[in-house]
Structures are given as C-alpha cells and as structure tokens.
Amino acid sequence: MSSNPSDVETLASLGTGGTDDRLSFALVLQLFRRSTTLLVPVRKHMALLFLGFSVAGVAGALIAAPLGIAFSNSVLVGQPLTGLEASLLGLGTEYLGVGTEALSSEFRMDVAYRILLVGGLMIAVLTPSLMGLYYYLVWILQRVNQVLRVRMLEQLQRLSLRFHSGSRVGDAIYRMVQDSSMVTKLIEVLFIQPVMALGRHLFGVAFVALIDWRLALGLIACWPIYLALGYYSSRPMRVGFRRARETTSDVTSRIQENLSAIRVIKAYGAEAVMAEHFEKESRTAFDAAFEARYRFAIFNVSVFWITGIAFALAGGFAASRAISEAPLPAVLAITGYAAWNFGVFNLFKERFSDGVGALRSIFRIWANAQNVAIGLDRVYELLDLEPEVQDAADAVPLTGVISGVRFEDLHFRYQADRPALEGISFEAQVGQITALVGPTGSGKTTLVSLLLRLYDPQQGSVRIDGEDLRRFTVASVRDRVAIALQENWLSGATIRENIRYARPSATDEEVREAARVAAADDFIEALPDQYETMLGERGAKLSTGQRQRISIARAVLKNTPILILDEPTASLDAATEARVLSNLARWGQDRMIFLITHRLGSVRNADNIVVLEEGRVRESGSHSELMNRHAAYRRLVDHEVGANARAAAGAAS
C-alpha cells in the first residue's frame, strides 16, 4: 500500500493554498527532482537537442567573433587583417599589411564584401538548423505534456466518487489544462534555458578573462548580489503565484457551472445574478494575478538595474584601456592582437554584455520557475492522491458464473455523523428481479454503489457467491456489472457510438437488439440518420425519455450477469414503461437485475421487493406478501395511489 494520502484525506486541502511547507524552497527543489522522471522517455531526444544547440552555438560564436573584429578594425578603421581573419575570409597576404600600413579603400571594400559573403553563408546554414532544432524542441515539450495530461485524466478517473462529489469540476479542468502545461515550462526553465544561458555566461567570462582578468572578476562578482535578491524574493512570488492560480481556477469552475446549468439559469431569468457572481470572482482573480505579476516585475526591474550598473562600471574601465591602447595578454598574440583597440573594445562589449545578460536571464528564469513550481505542485497534489477504493494486494479477477449476491450487515457513512446504511442484509439470485424501493434518501442508490465498488462499506460486506467483493479486482467487478444511471449521460457522438460506449466491439446487430430491448428502436429508426444521428452536447437533441432508453440500451449491450437499473423509467410514459420492463424481464431470465424506483407500479412483478427507510431494511418479499402485511410497503403504495387519484381529480376539474 502506498504511503500517499487517500483522496478523501487530502480533499479538504486541495485549492486552499496548502500548508506553509508547500511554499518552501525545499518543495521547489523536490518538485523539480520529481519532474525529471517525466523526461525519462525523451532523454535521448533531450541529449540530441542539447548537442545540436551546442554545436550550432559554438560554431556561430567562433565564426562571428573574428568577423566582428575584422569589420570594426579593418572595414571601419582600415587596420590590416590578422592571419586568422584573412584565412577565414579567403583573402591573400596582401591584406595583412606591413607594420601599421592601412588598407586602401578598395581593400576595405573587398573585406566588407567577404564579411557579408561569409556571414551570409553562416546565416544560411545556421538558420534552417536552428529552426529544425526549435521544431524538435516543441515536439519534445508537447510529448511530455501529453504524457502528463493522460496520467492526470487516468488519476481523476481512479479517484473515488467521494472525492469528485467534494471537488469542483472546473478546478480539475484547470489543473489538467493550465497547471499541467507547466511541465513544458519546467523543461525550459530547468534544462534548456538555464543550460544555454549558463553556457553563454561561462563563455563570456572565459572570453573576457582572455582580454582582462579583472573584468572577468567583475562579471563573477554579480553572482552574490543576484543570489541575495533571489533568496529574499522567491517566497513572496510563490505565494502570489499560488493565489493567482487558485482564484483563476475558481473562475474556471464558475464558467463550467454556469454553462452546465444554462437551462436552469435561463428558466429562472438568473443571467444578471450569475453574471454578477462571475464578475466578482473574475475581479478577485484579476487582483491576485496583478499582485503576483507586480512582485515578478519588481524582481525583474531590480535585476535590470544590477545588470546595468555592472555593465556601466565595466564599460568605463574597458574604454579607458582602449583609449590608452593598453597591452593585451600574451596569449592573444597568436591571434594577431597585441593591444586594446576599437575592435577589441567592441568585442569586449559584446562578450561582457552577453555574459551579464545571460546571468540576468538565469535569474529571470529562476523567477519564472517559482510560477512553474506552483503549477506543478497543484499537479502533484492530484497525482499523489490514492483512491479510496483500490485493489487489495492479493486481489484476483472476478471470473466464472455468478449465481448470487448477498449483502451482509452493511454499514456505510458519507460523513461521520450521517449514516447512509445501517445493518443492511438481504440476498439476490440469478434469474430474479430485486426491486429496491423507499423514500428519497433511504439509501437505495448508495446500496448498489457498494455493489459496483464505487465505495467500500465501513462495516459488513457484499458477497458474490460467498466471496467478499473486496477480494476481487475493482476492474473485474465493474466489468461484470452494468448500470443504467438516473442521470442518463450521453456524449455528443452518434446514437450507435453512445450505445456501444461500454462495449466498443459490439456488432451493429447487437446494437439494434439492445435498442429493441430498451424500446428505443422505434424512435431511432424514425430519425433521418437513424443510428448515425449526432446527439449534440450531452445528448441535447433527444428528449429526457429518449436519453433514458439509450442509457438502458447501453447497459443491456454490455451483456453482464448483473444489471442495475436506477430509476430507469422515471421519464417514460406508462405504455413505454410497460414495454421496457416486459422486454427486460424476458432478456434477464438468466441474469440478476436490481431495479431502483419510486414508481411502485413498476415493481409489482419483481421477485423480491426490498423496502428501505433511513438506511435500514424495513421489510422484503413479493408484492402480494408485502401488501398483506399492511406495513411500510403498503403505506408507500397507498400514498402513491392517493397521490395519483388527487392528481387525476385535479386534472379532471
């Protein structure tokens, strides 16, 4: 068993900002270490990518540096070329000059033309290479993001109904779409950008050190200042970024709730009220995002000023060296440069600027990493949850013929102070229809949810052929049970695809037979496109009764030994209801059917009727047996008959 918290234990902490520990520097490092495991499938691609960028960067720098010096010294000032420059440009010894002899105007034009030619060839080669490398980078990032999103969806589907009933759909959507995208930023801020920036910085330090070691020390001296700034700024930025993400997640939840309830909103004319609620939450999210970005901007402005001051001080020192034509280190003599000049100053300026700019980029990346860390933290909050219902270590698949199900002394609570089931015991056999009846909230749906292992009881057990249901794997149990839910969820696909939802391999003939059993064949075949009719969002093109019959057909097509019908005929007229129940009775002669309903006329022919009240079994038996007892079932029937009579009298008047 994993030591990770269960979804129920951790539910209360999701979206509340977590604990103080969840904003610590140690957490950031831990998140980055964990996230590197996501790179394992693409590590070879990452290595090739870094190699490609390194080769392109070094090659470009080694060619661009002498070209830049040649342009400054030879084209603009007229100094002779060095041997290295002449070889690179493919020019003869006459361009090397003698002593301090200056190049003629004609030679300077030749040098300028060759610099443009070589530079153009370099650009022509490097541009498509870099474009290909960046395309490769995008492919790697999106592949990693895809893997993470699939893992998150699988995790959300594994978590228990108790978790989903206590969390907001919009928050889950935001975590999957927005927070998960931080993994692509992670690769950039943890590997690609820092490695490239650090490489540029070290290259700049080394290059400047060749010119003057004191200037290189000035470049290195920027590190302690940046580190102190990052240390004191990081935590406030993390606090701000978490608050911004949580408030934006609330806005996403509000949008999802509004759109899912659009019919109710319109029916009650509540558009203005809902818009007011949305505006309030949106303003809160805006303020939180603004505060987070304000802290981020202050950090970046501080980094900018530190960079500017360092560059100004180093530039002033280098200018004085160039004016005095101070000698260069002997190691540079082999390149033909013996003293500071205009070209060397420009080269220093470029390399120092690039080195300190790369250092600035490193700490801007660190600032971005705080936002990335918060996004990933919200991702791992979800991935670290363990489902409340999961397989035991020694669980086995449920196979073979099922002959009976027994509920033994079941106790279940959604909350500690609210019992839903207390001491439930009864048995159901194959070939029987077991009806579960009782007032709203009596525990009917909860009872069959335990059979599906959507929850596990706190006490007692559900047994299949004498074996505790928890001895079997969750997947195999749900594979042997089909359910037609009261909610009647349908996708926007075709009718055929909706019926095939639980069994995609079913043939067209099997789909039509399932529709016939559910009494859905008549209205389907009356549609212009019949089984190829697209249903629209959540089956909006069908009536409630039609959606209910599609849901029943889906459960029938699954062809399992146990079928659960939760209020299957609540939206059907009497004639259609009778036809559906008659078809199901014939179809289920060798199956076990559980029928949950408030319409007691639907259960008269059930083999066993279990009456539930306040989470307890009050009585059970056939319709005639229960009517003769003049107890709970009889009271329910009399109440329904009286209500129907009053409704008929009111309609007649």
Side-chain angles (χ1 to χ4, degrees), residues 167-341:
S167 60
R168 303 179 77 177
V169 174
D171 180 67
I173 294 173
Y174 190 86
R175 289 175 191 262
M176 281 195 60
V177 176
Q178 293 295 328
D179 292 333
S180 70
S181 67
M182 290 298 100
V183 73
T184 62
K185 297 293 184 183
L186 170 72
I187 298 174
E188 294 178 7
V189 303
L190 193 60
F191 294 100
I192 297 172
Q193 292 179 357
V195 170
M196 294 176 66
L198 185 60
R200 285 170 47 212
H201 175 70
L202 295 177
F203 186 77
V205 170
F207 219 107
V208 171
L210 287 175
I211 298 173
D212 194 310
W213 63 268
R214 290 167 294 185
L215 291 172
L217 283 180
L219 195 54
I220 296 172
C222 295
W223 272 95
I225 304 173
Y226 281 125
L227 288 171
L229 178 65
Y231 178 80
Y232 288 106
S233 302
S234 296
R235 180 180 172 79
M237 283 193 290
R238 288 195 294 273
V239 172
F241 285 134
R242 175 171 278 280
R243 175 65 178 158
R245 285 185 175 276
E246 289 171 353
T247 53
T248 306
S249 172
D250 291 339
V251 172
T252 305
S253 295
R254 175 66 65 181
I255 294 172
Q256 184 273 329
E257 290 166 3
N258 281 13
L259 294 179
S260 64
I262 190 65
R263 292 191 178 188
V264 176
I265 292 172
K266 287 183 173 293
Y268 282 91
E271 292 92 341
V273 175
M274 300 308 293
E276 182 179 349
H277 290 327
F278 176 78
E279 182 179 4
K280 181 179 178 181
E281 292 189 356
S282 182
R283 171 61 64 177
T284 301
F286 173 82
D287 292 341
F290 180 83
E291 181 180 358
R293 290 298 166 182
Y294 174 76
R295 293 172 178 173
F296 182 72
I298 291 296
F299 179 85
N300 283 326
V301 169
S302 301
V303 168
F304 172 81
W305 277 108
I306 295 171
T307 302
I309 292 171
F311 184 74
L313 293 174
F317 179 78
S320 67
R321 301 288 289 174
I323 292 172
S324 63
E325 296 184 350
L328 291 170
V331 70
L332 293 178
I334 59 174
T335 65
Y337 306 114
W340 278 82
N341 55 37

Side-chain angles (χ1 to χ4, degrees), residues 65 100 113 162 169 173 234 263 298 334 344 353 357 430 437 510 537:
T100 58
Y113 172 75
R162 199 196 304 264
V169 174
I173 294 173
S234 296
R263 292 191 178 188
I298 291 296
I334 59 174
V344 172
S353 176
V430 167
V437 301
E510 289 173 324
E537 183 74 16

Side-chain angles (χ1 to χ4, degrees), residues 134-199:
Y134 276 108
Y135 180 86
Y136 192 23
L137 169 63
V138 170
W139 180 85
I140 293 172
L141 296 179
Q142 293 307 313
R143 180 174 175 182
V144 173
N145 195 17
Q146 172 71 7
V147 170
L148 182 59
R149 284 180 177 170
V150 170
R151 281 180 56 184
M152 292 184 71
L153 180 61
E154 291 173 345
Q155 172 72 347
L156 284 168
Q157 293 178 150
R158 288 176 64 231
L159 296 178
S160 71
L161 288 185
R162 199 196 304 264
F163 167 84
H164 289 289
S165 63
S167 60
R168 303 179 77 177
V169 174
D171 180 67
I173 294 173
Y174 190 86
R175 289 175 191 262
M176 281 195 60
V177 176
Q178 293 295 328
D179 292 333
S180 70
S181 67
M182 290 298 100
V183 73
T184 62
K185 297 293 184 183
L186 170 72
I187 298 174
E188 294 178 7
V189 303
L190 193 60
F191 294 100
I192 297 172
Q193 292 179 357
V195 170
M196 294 176 66
L198 185 60

Side-chain angles (χ1 to χ4, degrees), residues 392-437:
D394 58 348
V396 297
L398 174 60
T399 58
V401 177
I402 296 176
S403 60
V405 172
R406 177 161 182 78
F407 300 85
E408 289 188 354
D409 191 29
L410 283 180
H411 291 75
F412 179 78
R413 297 169 182 257
Y414 290 105
Q415 298 177 7
D417 58 341
R418 293 178 56 188
L421 299 175
E422 292 189 282
I424 298 290
S425 296
F426 69 91
E427 190 170 357
Q429 299 293 329
V430 167
Q432 292 183 347
I433 296 178
T434 301
L436 304 177
V437 301

